[in-house]
Amino acid sequence: MVGNGKMNPSSEAEERGMKSLLKWAAKYGIEVSESCSSLGLGHCLGVSWFPGAGGRGVAALRPISKGELLLKVPKSALITTDSLLSRDETLSLALKAHPSHSSTQVDYAIWAAQKAVTKAKYEWEQAFTLMKELKLKPPLLTFRAWIWATGTISSRTLHIPWDEAGCLCPVGDLFNYAAPTEDPDSFENVENWQNEHAKDDLDIHHSQRLTDGGYEEDVAAYCFYAKKNYNVGEQVLLSYGTYTNLELLEYYGFLLEDNPNEKVFIPLDLDMYSLSCWPKESLYIHQNGRPSFALMCALRLWATPLQQRKSIGHLAYSGCPISKGNEIYVMKWIGKKCDALLKEMPTSVEEDKSLVHLMDKMEEYENLGEWVKKASAVFGGEFGDNNILKAAYGVEGDDELTSLVRTKMLIDRWKLAVQWRLMYKTVVARCISYCTDIVNSLSTQ
């Protein structure tokens, strides 16, 4: 995992803050399973540091078995709309005066970062009057503060049945992410799951519960369960749901180098979409380079002569190859489309790998300016006449340390963008190799 939120493992302030959180957790009855201490994370789980694997996370302090209760957060400790309004009369009165403000967090646009910024600015402007009426301090009224606040909420909100806005779950948000391993596009996996869990509704509910956390009415608490066995010292991970890397980047601020749920979309002609009975979101390339079931069905039917589509369309919709010639044509088309897509991009896979490698070596330079000069010499186009330096050092009144911190923050964000596009290109390149292999195999039969 790369790009997740990080904490300085040697920071005394960070350590004090974590101790304060755990004391607060104990006060509100947050506890782990009965075999562990009820103080914070106790002797079952502990907050630890995992370099290159999410940074701060949760470690197993003893062997943990699949299905074991990891953490139980009482309803009274959950931060919800109702709990906030009941504790803060000023906030309650202010919201009643502004009924247009919904408690539901508005989703950010997925495909365009600029649209996300525009939407965030719009939400901030809409809420500005309310925030002033609440007499928030000036630093908390800024757009930067709004971005931090909305990002915190959107990346940590958990589902609860009685409030569509969800809740914040203290301590429960310390777990880092593990992607679900089931392939949602595989009919074989669906069939196996049904066969395995067809005993009764109770078994099915239990199986689903083990893969996730959820609010349980019978204990009035949000409960988290281990989805696998863990050894002592191993990082305990939980799934937040099924996300592509672009969605993880937008909602949580990190990427997975090996994301089984990654989806890469390639441009398709309008008539290809019209031939498909599946939504556009299902027409994609898997992380391993294979076209999705729906994409292959649509392209097989598209490559079939118009007068034959009605008679053999059932084969395409069932996922069966129509003919060897049809399969070769489709694979060649996908390969050429992917090749053209890579050639249209301003940087190559090799250039992106070199840039990421250079970013990883940034800490080895004594002077950040020296690193920027070297990077500019090798990747001048990326810097756009040192736009990073202008953004970092262009704020009037900032001292050198503040400018340095801002520069590193901007470079970290830039690195995430480069990593995402590298992963995108890597999947496209895998698809080219996969299609080439299929064509070569069919041609020799």
Side-chain angles (χ1 to χ4, degrees), residues 419-436:
Q419 287 174 320
W420 179 84
R421 78 187 190 204
L422 174 58
M423 293 174 186
Y424 178 94
K425 294 173 188 175
T426 300
V427 173
V428 174
R430 287 173 184 165
C431 185
I432 295 174
S433 298
Y434 173 78
C435 292
T436 301

Side-chain angles (χ1 to χ4, degrees), residues 111 182-186 242 244 260-268 273 276 278-299 334 338 424 427 431:
W111 299 111
E182 284 288 327
D183 180 1
D185 191 62
S186 172
T242 301
T244 66
N261 302 298
E262 177 68 325
K263 297 178 182 179
V264 165
F265 297 88
I266 59 175
L268 299 176
Y273 290 118
S276 174
W278 289 274
K280 292 182 180 181
E281 293 76 16
S282 64
L283 308 176
Y284 61 88
I285 298 171
H286 286 287
Q287 186 259 356
N288 60 10
R290 295 191 175 192
S292 69
F293 178 91
L295 179 58
M296 285 302 301
C297 292
L299 292 180
I334 296 176
C338 289
Y424 178 94
V427 173
C431 185

Side-chain angles (χ1 to χ4, degrees), residues 197-208:
H197 302 288
K199 297 178 183 178
D200 51 48
D201 292 339
L202 181 61
D203 286 344
I204 292 176
H205 170 74
H206 183 64
S207 172
Q208 290 175 328

Side-chain angles (χ1 to χ4, degrees), residues 291-309:
S292 69
F293 178 91
L295 179 58
M296 285 302 301
C297 292
L299 292 180
R300 284 167 178 158
L301 191 60
W302 167 78
T304 301
L306 183 61
Q307 63 274 18
Q308 298 179 16
R309 289 176 182 172

Side-chain angles (χ1 to χ4, degrees), residues 199-412:
K199 297 178 183 178
D200 51 48
D201 292 339
L202 181 61
D203 286 344
I204 292 176
H205 170 74
H206 183 64
S207 172
Q208 290 175 328
R209 186 185 70 177
L210 297 184
T211 62
D212 212 35
Y215 184 81
E216 299 184 8
E217 294 284 357
D218 56 339
V219 294
Y222 210 101
C223 298
F224 300 88
Y225 294 87
K227 59 189 300 182
K228 53 169 281 190
N229 297 330
Y230 290 97
N231 297 320
V232 176
E234 191 175 358
Q235 181 173 193
V236 179
L237 302 169
L238 294 179
S239 172
Y240 312 154
T242 301
Y243 294 97
T244 66
N245 269 334
L246 184 58
E247 291 167 335
L248 286 175
L249 182 59
E250 291 199 62
Y251 297 131
Y252 300 105
F254 66 89
L255 301 167
L256 293 178
E257 293 180 354
D258 187 18
N259 186 355
N261 302 298
E262 177 68 325
K263 297 178 182 179
V264 165
F265 297 88
I266 59 175
L268 299 176
D269 298 336
L270 290 178
D271 57 338
M272 296 176 181
Y273 290 118
S274 63
L275 287 173
S276 174
C277 61
W278 289 274
K280 292 182 180 181
E281 293 76 16
S282 64
L283 308 176
Y284 61 88
I285 298 171
H286 286 287
Q287 186 259 356
N288 60 10
R290 295 191 175 192
S292 69
F293 178 91
L295 179 58
M296 285 302 301
C297 292
L299 292 180
R300 284 167 178 158
L301 191 60
W302 167 78
T304 301
L306 183 61
Q307 63 274 18
Q308 298 179 16
R309 289 176 182 172
K310 185 175 181 179
S311 60
I312 63 175
H314 64 285
L315 292 175
Y317 289 125
S318 65
C320 298
I322 293 177
S323 67
K324 184 171 76 172
N326 179 280
E327 200 75 358
I328 290 176
Y329 183 86
V330 168
M331 289 298 176
K332 284 185 175 180
W333 185 91
I334 296 176
K336 289 180 180 178
K337 196 73 173 180
C338 289
D339 184 64
L341 192 61
L342 288 179
K343 290 179 178 177
E344 290 174 358
M345 295 183 179
T347 59
S348 65
V349 170
E350 291 71 24
E351 288 173 331
D352 287 345
K353 287 181 178 179
S354 298
L355 184 53
V356 170
H357 178 73
L358 185 60
M359 290 176 172
D360 289 336
K361 297 291 184 180
M362 183 176 63
E363 298 295 335
E364 298 180 5
Y365 287 80
E366 295 182 2
N367 185 286
L368 185 59
E370 180 182 346
W371 178 88
V372 172
K373 287 181 181 179
K374 180 173 182 178
S376 298
V378 181
F379 306 100
E382 286 285 313
F383 280 81
D385 297 326
N386 289 330
N387 277 333
I388 289 182
L389 286 180
K390 290 179 182 178
Y393 291 96
V395 179
E396 186 177 351
D398 279 353
D399 54 30
E400 184 176 352
L401 179 59
T402 302
S403 298
L404 179 64
V405 171
R406 181 178 288 107
T407 301
K408 288 186 176 181
M409 179 186 67
L410 290 172
I411 291 176
D412 284 341

Side-chain angles (χ1 to χ4, degrees), residues 22-33:
L22 296 184
K23 287 182 179 179
W24 179 92
K27 177 182 177 182
Y28 279 84
I30 299 177
E31 57 183 18
V32 291
S33 60

